[in-house]
Amino acid sequence: MIQRLRQILPHDQVAQRLVRNLKWIFSSQVAMAILGMISLAVSARALGAAGLGALALIEAFARINARLVHFEPWQAVIQYGSIALEEKDTARFENLVGLSIVLDVIGGLAAAALILFLAPLVAGSIGLDGGAAHLLSLGALAVALSLRATGVALLRLYDRFDLLAKIDAATALFRLLLSIIAWLVGGSLVHFVVIFVLFSLAEGLIAFIFGRREMRQRGQKPRFGSLIATLGQNRGFLRFMWNSNLAVILRQTTQRLDVVILGALVAPVFVGHYHIARKCGDAAIRLGRPIKQAVFPEFSRLAASGDYVRIRKTALWISVAFCAILLAGVIPALIYIVPILDAAFGEAFVAAAPVVSIQAVAVALFLAGVILGPVLLSLGHDRELMLIGAATAALFFALIYPFVVTFGVNGAALSHLISNTLWLVACGWLVMRTLEAKTRPDTASKSEVRS
């Protein structure tokens, strides 16, 4: 796909940078997907279906609480930081980074406090009893100190996608090695929860450390002056951060809270089956993130310059290429799903074949429109993206209870399938309508110039 993009995109600086960054991100996401699936297989064989289900509940509870209260500023920092760097306004950029660090610290501490407060109250109702209930509180350590959002923004703004790719692959390898050690020594659930905490801390801090190093090499440093003044220099920053995060929160809430809801409705063994389906889907989504992460800074720059024709052309070709890859990957996986599950996770997880198949189709629909979110954000449709996310999340939560009651664990995957269809159609329609309106005057102007 990357070679095809190299052929069809214009040979200019934007295209060259986009292809280079795609190569780095895609390579790292492939490595992370592979390492993550191996880690999942190790955890499944070490803990069994019920133990894996408990681990899934603990991870999901920590991550969903973090998403609810830790609003990550990286998209807003990229959007407004690009302008500050373009205008060579170093002081404004440094103040923006300082604001991002403050928001990250406050968000992490708030998430940890929320987990500690809620864990004793909800543990029993989601199927975690005894020692597993105390492990739910341990998830607070995984989110208490996370500056990853600021680090990611810095590395992407400085065009260090290569460094970020290496960091992400290294942390995934770190988790795999710890998981293998725990499996070999007969580790229990508590050992795998500790591994999750260590992995989350590494993931949250290493990107920031290297991003801060890149700042220092450029003679820049975060400034912690008046936050009000910084927000005044970057009008609309909080609105953009709120809308872009709310869109992600609504999306990820359905991808995290579904496990918690299942914990209250079905036995842990079925949660384990669903966790396999979700993790397989997450591995596929990782392969789509390179495109999403690489195109957003480029689309933001193109939108700032008013080059909407280039946005439309780039978005079209990337979407076509990625959909072709999806068809080539999903169809064989659906055909051979039973032997794949048997070989990867063991005979105990062959029963998960139906839910894995449904989830695979749901994820494919989401990935088919993977760049629609970045396009809408770059075009200033952060509010509309948030509203679409709210509508699809509302549909998902309206469906999941009756679907699980009717179809069992497969109902959760069916809820994702239907809500993802709505998301794809709504975002696709809005992108086409907006770009058509943006490019029509340009076309008319060019025709007048020729005449």
Side-chain angles (χ1 to χ4, degrees):
M1 184 184 69
I2 292 174
Q3 294 301 324
R4 177 60 178 159
L5 287 175
R6 188 190 297 275
Q7 296 171 7
I8 62 179
L9 291 177
H11 296 284
D12 59 12
Q13 186 177 8
V14 172
Q16 293 174 2
R17 186 168 57 240
L18 179 59
V19 170
R20 182 182 70 248
N21 291 339
L22 270 173
K23 286 167 59 178
W24 277 110
I25 305 175
F26 190 78
S27 298
S28 73
Q29 293 296 325
V30 168
M32 291 170 67
I34 294 173
L35 293 171
M37 291 304 296
I38 298 174
S39 296
L40 178 62
V42 170
S43 301
R45 293 180 182 275
L47 300 175
L52 187 65
L55 179 63
L57 286 168
I58 293 166
E59 289 191 21
F61 186 76
R63 294 192 183 280
I64 191 59
N65 279 285
R67 286 305 302 157
L68 286 174
V69 298
H70 185 180
F71 275 41
E72 296 182 349
W74 72 267
Q75 290 174 310
V77 172
I78 288 177
Q79 186 83 345
Y80 288 86
S82 297
I83 299 172
L85 291 176
E86 187 72 20
E87 296 175 353
K88 302 187 185 305
D89 192 343
T90 301
R92 177 183 171 187
F93 178 73
E94 292 175 339
N95 287 331
L96 193 63
V97 174
L99 173 63
S100 180
I101 292 173
V102 171
L103 292 172
D104 267 343
V105 171
I106 293 175
L109 294 176
L114 184 61
I115 291 171
L116 291 174
F117 173 73
L118 291 178
L121 303 178
V122 304
S125 62
I126 62 174
L128 292 176
D129 299 311
H134 298 294
L135 293 177
L136 201 62
S137 300
L138 191 58
L141 296 177
V143 302
L145 188 58
S146 178
L147 294 164
R148 178 175 171 81
T150 301
V152 166
L154 289 172
L155 291 174
R156 289 177 183 168
L157 278 170
Y158 292 134
D159 203 28
R160 291 306 312 268
F161 284 79
D162 58 332
L163 185 56
L164 184 58
K166 295 173 184 177
I167 292 170
D168 288 343
T171 53
L173 179 60
F174 170 68
R175 182 172 191 174
L176 172 58
L177 293 176
L178 291 180
S179 298
I180 292 174
I181 293 172
W183 179 35
L184 293 176
V185 300
S188 61
L189 177 61
V190 64
H191 296 98
F192 283 88
V193 173
V194 171
I195 290 171
F196 161 65
V197 170
L198 294 175
F199 166 74
S200 299
L201 290 174
E203 188 181 46
L205 290 175
I206 294 176
F208 173 75
I209 292 171
F210 280 90
R212 180 67 182 87
R213 188 189 69 172
E214 291 294 318
M215 282 194 79
R216 188 164 51 249
Q217 291 176 349
R218 290 163 174 78
Q220 301 168 347
K221 62 180 181 179
R223 294 180 182 270
F224 303 95
S226 172
L227 299 183
I228 301 299
T230 302
L231 292 174
Q233 292 176 328
N234 301 276
R235 295 189 180 278
F237 178 90
L238 290 180
R239 187 215 73 214
F240 189 93
M241 186 183 75
W242 168 265
N243 287 334
S244 61
N245 269 270
L246 196 55
V248 175
I249 288 171
L250 291 168
R251 177 76 198 167
Q252 291 195 356
T253 296
T254 63
Q255 297 175 346
R256 306 289 183 193
L257 200 56
D258 54 358
V259 177
V260 179
I261 292 172
L262 279 177
L265 297 176
V266 300
V269 64
F270 296 113
V271 177
H273 290 169
Y274 184 73
H275 186 57
I276 291 291
R278 283 292 323 284
K279 284 298 185 179
C280 291
D282 288 348
I285 289 175
R286 281 192 178 279
L287 302 183
R289 285 178 186 166
I291 299 175
K292 184 177 179 180
Q293 295 169 358
V295 300
F296 177 58
E298 301 300 340
F299 283 156
S300 293
R301 296 184 186 104
L302 291 173
S305 64
D307 195 350
Y308 301 107
V309 174
R310 176 71 62 77
I311 292 177
R312 183 174 64 180
K313 180 178 181 180
T314 305
L316 175 63
W317 280 107
I318 292 176
S319 296
V320 170
F322 198 62
C323 285
I325 292 174
L326 283 174
L327 288 175
V330 171
I331 293 176
L334 293 177
I335 295 174
Y336 298 104
I337 188 63
V338 171
I340 290 173
L341 290 174
D342 188 18
F345 307 108
E347 187 178 354
F349 289 91
V350 169
V355 68
V356 173
S357 299
I358 298 170
Q359 189 71 12
V361 178
V363 168
L365 288 173
F366 172 71
L367 288 174
V370 70
I371 67 166
L372 298 179
V375 173
L376 289 173
L377 287 176
S378 68
L379 295 174
H381 283 311
D382 49 285
R383 181 175 178 272
E384 289 79 359
L385 185 61
M386 179 270 294
L387 291 175
I388 292 173
T392 55
L395 177 63
F396 173 82
F397 288 118
L399 294 176
I400 187 169
Y401 179 79
F403 273 33
V404 171
V405 171
T406 304
F407 304 108
V409 70
N410 295 336
L414 285 171
S415 301
H416 279 297
L417 177 61
I418 295 172
S419 60
N420 283 357
T421 301
L422 173 62
W423 181 89
L424 178 62
V425 171
C427 288
W429 172 81
L430 183 57
V431 166
M432 289 189 291
R433 190 190 72 169
T434 303
L435 288 177
E436 181 182 357
K438 294 284 189 182
T439 54
R440 191 181 301 117
D442 295 344
T443 304
S445 300
K446 291 177 181 178
S447 300
E448 292 174 5
V449 170
R450 291 194 193 97
S451 62

